[in-house]
Each structure stands twice: as C-alpha cells, then as structure tokens.
Amino acid sequence: MKAKLGYLCSSESWGGLEMNHVRNAEWMQVRGHNVVLICVKDSPIEKFAISKSIEVLSIDKHKKYYDFNKSKTLAKLISNLSISHLIVRSTYDISIASNVKRYLKDSIHTSYFMEMQLGVKKTNLLHTLRYKYIDLWSCPLEWLKIQVEEWTNFKNKLVVIPSGLDLSQFASLNSVQNDRKSMGIDGKVLVFGLIGRFDIKKGQLLLLNAMTKCNNNNFSVALLGEPTKNEGNTYFEEIQLFISEHKLEDRVSIHPFRENTTSFYNAIDWLVMATKAETFGMVTIESLACGTPVLGSNAGGTPEILNNEKGGLLFETQNSNDLAKKIDLICEKQTEFDSSILKAMAQQYDHHSVCEMIEKAFEI
C-alpha cells in the first residue's frame, strides 16, 4: 500500500538532521509513496527539498511547546492533503506532532525518528502525555532504544531503524594515489583525517593536541571543513594559531568542505571521530563504506557502529593522552583492517534496506 507521507521539519538550520530528513523523503518518494515536506518558508531544508523535486508545504514557525493555534492550523492542512503519516526528526517538532495526533486521532500516524540522545530522563507527566500521542519512536541504534526504555515512559511502538546511506556513491572509488593528489594530501606517511565543521564539539583541537603528545611523528593530519556560518571564526583561528605555535604546518593540512566527501575518506588511512559523544555518526559509516577504519571516541553511538572495534579502534572520550597512545599504537604496529570487511559492515545502513524497515514499521 502506498502512503501519503508528511515530513515535518521547522528547523531553519542546515545540518545532518535536516539532510537525513530530506534524503529519507526522497528515497520514499522514489519507492512510489506520495511525499510532502512541511517546513518554514525560505529555510535551507525547503530549498534542498525543492532541488530534489519534493513537494513542499510552507508553514509559519511554531513554538516548541503548547502552540495550540498553529497545531490546529497544521492539523487542518494535513487533513486537507490526506496525509496518512506525519514524520518528525527534531525534538522541537514533537509537541506539535503530538497535538496534531490529538486533533486527528486515528486518521494520522505520528512517528519520531530520533537523531539526538536524551540528555536527561523524560519521565515527568508532561513528557509522558506528549509521548502518548507518538505512535512510533524509531532509534538509529540499539543503545538509544535501551535509553528510551529506561529514561522515558513511552509505551507505543519502539523500533531500531538506522539512518540510511546511499551506498552506490561508494561503489566506484578512484585510486588512493589519485585522490591524495587531487586533495593535495601527502601520502608518504600515515594520514589521519577528521571531517566536520570547525567547532569545538568536533574535536579538531583535541586531535592536534594529541599530535604533540605522540612519541611517533611519522604521520600527518588532514582536516576537512569550514567554520559554521554566522558563528564567527574564533575556533578556526585557534586551530590556525595552535598549528603555528607548535610548528605543525608541514604535518597538518586544511581542506575546504566539499559535497562529495568520498575522495577524502579514500585519501586518508584513518578517520578520527573525536566528538565527545556522537549519537549516530554518519561520517563513521561513510568512512566504513569507503573501507577506511575509524579511530573513534568511546562514547555515544560510535562503539556500537564499530562493533567491538571490528571497524577500528576506540579512545577514551575527550582524552588527548589516550588518543595519542592509540595513534602511536597504529603507527608502531602498522595496524591494518580489511577494507572488504569494513565495507560489509556498512551494508546494514543501505538506504534500500532502511526504507524497507520503515515501510514494515508503518505497515504500508
């Protein structure tokens, strides 16, 4: 049965959450379902959805909680469009989705696809009442499902469905030498790469600090990213100053962000996931899909994705000393992973399989 799916996202930012929302909407549309993206006019997600030929419904920005007037307006729009399933990814949109369910009852199926871990327990009366009107809660990893079971009173359908990845983009890679040449990365030594916006949460300075503590210096670091727009260059300037003060110019290269990141993953020997506790690291599974092992923070979803270090190694989160030790270990023992095994680990995130899981959970 084909469904009419409404993807609601009121965010006016642009990041992994918004990108995953549109990607899933696009994939489900390709599978034959009717799809409409409900978003704030002129937001980045609206522009991206239009570029993907997805129908867009523009709405005014609502409040995070208790916006009953806009909830009624949205419920009427959803009813008029005969939308059968309302899907949200941002915690900001849970309240309005719950209100829509209260108004439309069984004529609408509501689901929340979790992107961020719970910061604190959500067992109070208001959260419990709000979650009562969410029909399906989807967690991208098993550890998050356990967290929901222990930290909320959610009683409806709880499933594990990972964020999907179109693996076709990794099917035909260039040679490592060619990608290193195109990226301007010196491949004479081991290359540790970190990808992400220049933000203290991403851990670029943590990695650079670890460099100065390593006994082995027969490696280089490649950073791919750019400062977050409209948030200043302070952190990026700190990175540049650190590189200069520690005379790391010959061992650290900085590369501007690019939409196609496969050449970066292919050009490096190891990806470093230095975020304090990444809920679900898309860059981690992208790296595995390229056959590149991951040196990741032992927190959040990274340990589960790496499957007991079958996909790389873990270091103590936020600990530059332990990160340095792991880098030394890799350099000294020339630690290697079978790229075919890493690529096989990424298969579970194939977007075709993910969409089938969603259809099963929605019973469509």
Side-chain angles (χ1 to χ4, degrees):
M1 180 183 74
K2 301 306 178 184
K4 183 69 176 288
L5 308 178
Y7 285 78
L8 170 63
C9 185
S10 64
S11 170
E12 295 177 276
S13 300
W14 183 243
L17 182 150
E18 294 82 10
M19 193 174 295
N20 283 339
H21 213 43
V22 178
R23 282 173 176 167
N24 191 259
E26 181 186 15
W27 295 333
M28 294 299 277
Q29 182 168 274
V30 170
R31 293 174 72 85
H33 301 289
N34 293 317
V35 169
V36 57
L37 182 78
I38 307 168
C39 60
V40 176
K41 186 174 179 58
D42 295 327
S43 59
I45 193 171
E46 180 193 54
K47 296 173 184 176
F48 189 65
I50 292 173
S51 74
K52 297 294 183 180
S53 300
I54 295 172
E55 180 185 351
V56 169
L57 173 64
S58 298
I59 58 171
D60 294 329
K61 183 77 173 183
H62 56 76
K63 293 184 291 187
K64 187 173 183 178
Y65 302 115
Y66 315 121
D67 200 334
F68 299 112
N69 288 332
K70 286 190 172 63
S71 297
K72 290 178 180 178
T73 299
L74 179 59
K76 185 175 181 180
L77 290 171
I78 287 173
S79 180
N80 290 340
L81 288 172
S82 299
I83 291 173
S84 58
H85 293 72
L86 181 63
I87 304 159
V88 299
R89 261 185 170 77
S90 170
T91 55
Y92 192 95
D93 297 322
I94 292 178
S95 179
I96 195 168
S98 298
N99 288 336
V100 168
K101 177 68 177 183
R102 286 178 57 239
Y103 297 138
L104 299 182
K105 298 183 170 43
D106 291 339
S107 65
I108 189 71
H109 178 281
T110 53
S111 58
Y112 168 53
F113 280 70
M114 189 180 194
E115 289 269 346
M116 299 298 295
Q117 60 185 296
L118 298 172
V120 295
K121 288 189 175 183
K122 308 283 187 178
T123 53
N124 60 61
L125 179 61
L126 290 177
H127 279 101
T128 299
L129 289 174
R130 191 173 298 129
Y131 295 154
K132 178 183 177 181
Y133 294 99
I134 299 297
D135 295 306
L136 171 73
W137 187 317
S138 175
C139 307
L141 292 168
E142 187 64 37
W143 79 280
L144 291 168
K145 179 174 181 285
I146 294 171
Q147 188 183 70
V148 173
E149 290 171 336
E150 295 179 348
W151 287 19
T152 77
N153 292 321
F154 183 75
K155 300 300 182 183
N156 295 329
K157 193 171 185 177
L158 182 63
V159 298
V160 176
I161 301 176
S163 296
L165 185 64
D166 184 351
L167 295 178
S168 65
Q169 62 186 304
F170 306 102
S172 181
L173 299 174
N174 296 321
S175 70
V176 173
Q177 292 76 14
N178 285 343
D179 277 334
R180 282 181 172 172
K181 185 177 180 180
S182 68
M183 293 286 299
I185 292 176
D186 183 1
K188 296 177 183 178
V189 295
L190 279 177
V191 182
F192 292 83
L194 190 154
I195 183 171
R197 69 183 184 277
F198 288 109
D199 185 300
I200 192 170
K201 296 178 182 178
K202 294 299 182 182
Q204 287 93 347
L205 274 177
L206 180 73
L207 174 56
L208 296 180
N209 194 25
M211 282 187 78
T212 66
K213 298 178 179 180
C214 288
N215 295 320
N216 193 309
N217 62 5
N218 195 32
F219 70 93
S220 66
V221 165
L223 305 176
L224 179 72
E226 58 189 26
T228 304
K229 292 181 179 179
N230 303 320
E231 291 188 16
N233 295 322
T234 303
Y235 183 69
F236 183 57
E237 291 168 355
E238 287 181 37
I239 290 172
Q240 292 176 307
L241 181 61
F242 188 95
I243 293 171
S244 175
E245 289 180 342
H246 292 82
K247 297 179 172 55
L248 297 173
E249 292 92 344
D250 293 337
R251 297 179 57 206
V252 179
S253 57
I254 297 177
H255 309 269
F257 179 77
R258 52 173 62 191
E259 289 295 332
N260 182 3
T261 54
T262 55
S263 57
F264 181 76
Y265 294 118
N266 198 39
I268 62 178
D269 295 292
W270 283 77
L271 175 77
V272 179
M273 170 56 81
T275 308
K276 182 178 180 180
E278 192 76 20
T279 304
F280 183 92
M282 289 300 295
V283 297
T284 302
I285 62 174
E286 288 172 353
S287 186
L288 295 178
C290 276
T292 302
V294 178
L295 175 55
S297 172
N298 191 16
T302 304
E304 184 175 335
I305 294 175
L306 296 185
N307 191 14
N308 296 318
E309 298 193 315
K310 290 183 175 64
L313 297 176
L314 297 168
F315 69 92
E316 184 179 337
T317 184
Q318 299 290 280
N319 189 328
S320 60
N321 292 321
D322 193 49
L323 177 55
K325 289 179 181 178
K326 294 300 166 61
I327 292 174
D328 277 336
L329 177 68
I330 292 168
C331 292
E332 291 164 9
K333 293 191 174 183
Q334 294 293 303
T335 307
E336 294 184 359
F337 285 77
D338 187 331
S339 63
S340 63
I341 293 177
L342 302 181
K343 291 176 182 179
M345 289 177 63
Q347 286 297 317
Q348 63 185 300
Y349 306 107
D350 176 63
H351 72 291
H352 295 298
S353 300
V354 168
C355 288
E356 288 177 3
M357 295 172 72
I358 293 172
E359 289 170 340
K360 182 178 180 180
F362 285 177
E363 299 180 359
I364 56 177

